[in-house]
mmCIF file of all heavy atoms in Angstrom:
data_model
loop_
_atom_site.group_PDB
_atom_site.id
_atom_site.type_symbol
_atom_site.label_atom_id
_atom_site.label_comp_id
_atom_site.label_asym_id
_atom_site.label_seq_id
_atom_site.Cartn_x
_atom_site.Cartn_y
_atom_site.Cartn_z
ATOM 1 N N LEU O 47 4.869 10.456 2.568
ATOM 2 C CA LEU O 47 3.902 10.956 1.743
ATOM 3 C C LEU O 47 4.365 11.264 0.307
ATOM 4 O O LEU O 47 3.600 11.720 -0.514
ATOM 5 C CB LEU O 47 3.263 12.263 2.351
ATOM 6 C CG LEU O 47 2.545 11.904 3.749
ATOM 7 C CD1 LEU O 47 1.938 13.199 4.234
ATOM 8 C CD2 LEU O 47 1.512 10.980 3.649
ATOM 9 N N ASP O 48 5.716 11.146 0.020
ATOM 10 C CA ASP O 48 6.309 11.434 -1.352
ATOM 11 C C ASP O 48 6.864 10.045 -1.732
ATOM 12 O O ASP O 48 8.002 9.782 -1.208
ATOM 13 C CB ASP O 48 7.284 12.521 -1.186
ATOM 14 C CG ASP O 48 6.671 13.863 -0.626
ATOM 15 O OD1 ASP O 48 5.493 14.119 -1.234
ATOM 16 O OD2 ASP O 48 7.164 14.426 0.234
ATOM 17 N N ILE O 49 6.269 9.445 -2.734
ATOM 18 C CA ILE O 49 6.704 8.029 -3.163
ATOM 19 C C ILE O 49 6.917 7.980 -4.543
ATOM 20 O O ILE O 49 5.983 8.267 -5.255
ATOM 21 C CB ILE O 49 5.810 7.031 -2.556
ATOM 22 C CG1 ILE O 49 5.443 7.103 -1.036
ATOM 23 C CG2 ILE O 49 6.239 5.564 -3.017
ATOM 24 C CD1 ILE O 49 4.309 6.330 -0.618
ATOM 25 N N THR O 50 8.091 7.635 -5.051
ATOM 26 C CA THR O 50 8.268 7.178 -6.432
ATOM 27 C C THR O 50 7.803 5.885 -6.629
ATOM 28 O O THR O 50 8.293 4.919 -5.964
ATOM 29 C CB THR O 50 9.683 7.413 -6.754
ATOM 30 O OG1 THR O 50 10.147 8.637 -6.748
ATOM 31 C CG2 THR O 50 9.957 6.988 -8.310
ATOM 32 N N THR O 51 6.812 5.600 -7.473
ATOM 33 C CA THR O 51 6.260 4.269 -7.719
ATOM 34 C C THR O 51 6.740 3.829 -9.110
ATOM 35 O O THR O 51 6.572 4.389 -10.122
ATOM 36 C CB THR O 51 4.792 4.356 -7.660
ATOM 37 O OG1 THR O 51 4.362 4.935 -6.585
ATOM 38 C CG2 THR O 51 4.227 2.940 -7.794
ATOM 39 N N ILE O 52 7.707 2.638 -9.106
ATOM 40 C CA ILE O 52 8.140 2.183 -10.311
ATOM 41 C C ILE O 52 7.162 0.907 -10.669
ATOM 42 O O ILE O 52 7.111 -0.078 -9.943
ATOM 43 C CB ILE O 52 9.633 1.641 -10.057
ATOM 44 C CG1 ILE O 52 10.407 2.782 -9.705
ATOM 45 C CG2 ILE O 52 10.095 0.966 -11.265
ATOM 46 C CD1 ILE O 52 11.778 2.517 -9.315
ATOM 47 N N THR O 53 6.514 1.107 -11.752
ATOM 48 C CA THR O 53 5.679 -0.022 -12.134
ATOM 49 C C THR O 53 5.418 -0.180 -13.676
ATOM 50 O O THR O 53 5.956 0.647 -14.420
ATOM 51 C CB THR O 53 4.134 0.313 -11.543
ATOM 52 O OG1 THR O 53 3.326 -0.834 -11.696
ATOM 53 C CG2 THR O 53 3.552 1.537 -12.012
ATOM 54 N N CYS O 54 4.784 -1.142 -14.085
ATOM 55 C CA CYS O 54 4.512 -1.356 -15.610
ATOM 56 C C CYS O 54 3.221 -0.458 -15.883
ATOM 57 O O CYS O 54 2.251 -0.415 -15.023
ATOM 58 C CB CYS O 54 4.185 -2.850 -15.802
ATOM 59 S SG CYS O 54 3.818 -3.267 -17.413
ATOM 60 N N PRO O 55 3.314 0.081 -17.059
ATOM 61 C CA PRO O 55 2.061 0.893 -17.494
ATOM 62 C C PRO O 55 0.807 0.170 -17.848
ATOM 63 O O PRO O 55 -0.152 0.669 -18.358
ATOM 64 C CB PRO O 55 2.625 1.709 -18.587
ATOM 65 C CG PRO O 55 3.734 0.814 -19.254
ATOM 66 C CD PRO O 55 4.301 0.036 -18.013
ATOM 67 N N ASP O 56 0.987 -1.238 -17.699
ATOM 68 C CA ASP O 56 -0.151 -2.077 -18.241
ATOM 69 C C ASP O 56 -1.548 -1.575 -17.765
ATOM 70 O O ASP O 56 -1.776 -1.414 -16.456
ATOM 71 C CB ASP O 56 0.016 -3.440 -17.554
ATOM 72 C CG ASP O 56 -1.073 -4.394 -18.071
ATOM 73 O OD1 ASP O 56 -2.098 -4.040 -18.582
ATOM 74 O OD2 ASP O 56 -0.908 -5.768 -17.882
ATOM 75 N N GLY O 57 -2.402 -1.150 -18.693
ATOM 76 C CA GLY O 57 -3.584 -0.366 -18.354
ATOM 77 C C GLY O 57 -4.553 -1.354 -17.669
ATOM 78 O O GLY O 57 -5.466 -0.895 -16.954
ATOM 79 N N THR O 58 -4.458 -2.650 -17.545
ATOM 80 C CA THR O 58 -5.269 -3.551 -16.827
ATOM 81 C C THR O 58 -4.847 -3.536 -15.477
ATOM 82 O O THR O 58 -5.628 -4.273 -14.568
ATOM 83 C CB THR O 58 -5.333 -4.918 -17.445
ATOM 84 O OG1 THR O 58 -4.076 -5.603 -17.372
ATOM 85 C CG2 THR O 58 -5.695 -4.923 -18.983
ATOM 86 N N ARG O 59 -3.799 -3.042 -15.059
ATOM 87 C CA ARG O 59 -3.179 -3.155 -13.739
ATOM 88 C C ARG O 59 -3.046 -1.867 -12.974
ATOM 89 O O ARG O 59 -3.205 -1.754 -11.817
ATOM 90 C CB ARG O 59 -1.811 -3.891 -13.705
ATOM 91 C CG ARG O 59 -1.824 -5.262 -14.402
ATOM 92 C CD ARG O 59 -2.683 -6.376 -13.678
ATOM 93 N NE ARG O 59 -2.646 -7.694 -14.356
ATOM 94 C CZ ARG O 59 -3.579 -8.490 -14.356
ATOM 95 N NH1 ARG O 59 -4.534 -8.340 -13.527
ATOM 96 N NH2 ARG O 59 -3.603 -9.591 -15.015
ATOM 97 N N ILE O 60 -2.503 -0.919 -13.725
ATOM 98 C CA ILE O 60 -1.910 0.277 -13.058
ATOM 99 C C ILE O 60 -2.879 1.125 -12.174
ATOM 100 O O ILE O 60 -2.592 1.625 -11.121
ATOM 101 C CB ILE O 60 -1.148 1.198 -14.100
ATOM 102 C CG1 ILE O 60 -0.281 2.244 -13.419
ATOM 103 C CG2 ILE O 60 -2.161 1.858 -15.008
ATOM 104 C CD1 ILE O 60 0.609 2.997 -14.265
ATOM 105 N N ARG O 61 -4.121 1.168 -12.733
ATOM 106 C CA ARG O 61 -5.179 1.921 -11.916
ATOM 107 C C ARG O 61 -5.480 1.188 -10.539
ATOM 108 O O ARG O 61 -5.715 1.844 -9.551
ATOM 109 C CB ARG O 61 -6.372 2.093 -12.712
ATOM 110 C CG ARG O 61 -7.172 0.860 -12.945
ATOM 111 C CD ARG O 61 -8.421 1.293 -13.801
ATOM 112 N NE ARG O 61 -9.269 0.056 -14.065
ATOM 113 C CZ ARG O 61 -9.232 -0.840 -15.014
ATOM 114 N NH1 ARG O 61 -8.115 -0.785 -15.851
ATOM 115 N NH2 ARG O 61 -10.012 -1.771 -15.230
ATOM 116 N N HIS O 62 -5.236 -0.067 -10.594
ATOM 117 C CA HIS O 62 -5.501 -0.878 -9.433
ATOM 118 C C HIS O 62 -4.276 -0.697 -8.445
ATOM 119 O O HIS O 62 -4.445 -0.687 -7.244
ATOM 120 C CB HIS O 62 -5.752 -2.334 -9.690
ATOM 121 C CG HIS O 62 -7.007 -2.624 -10.605
ATOM 122 N ND1 HIS O 62 -8.198 -2.363 -10.178
ATOM 123 C CD2 HIS O 62 -7.009 -2.951 -11.859
ATOM 124 C CE1 HIS O 62 -9.083 -2.761 -11.089
ATOM 125 N NE2 HIS O 62 -8.411 -3.103 -12.104
#
Side-chain angles (χ1 to χ4, degrees):
L47 300 183
D48 300 312
I49 304 168
T50 295
T51 307
I52 300 171
T53 186
C54 178
D56 183 347
T58 65
R59 306 290 180 204
I60 193 167
R61 68 183 184 277
H62 301 291

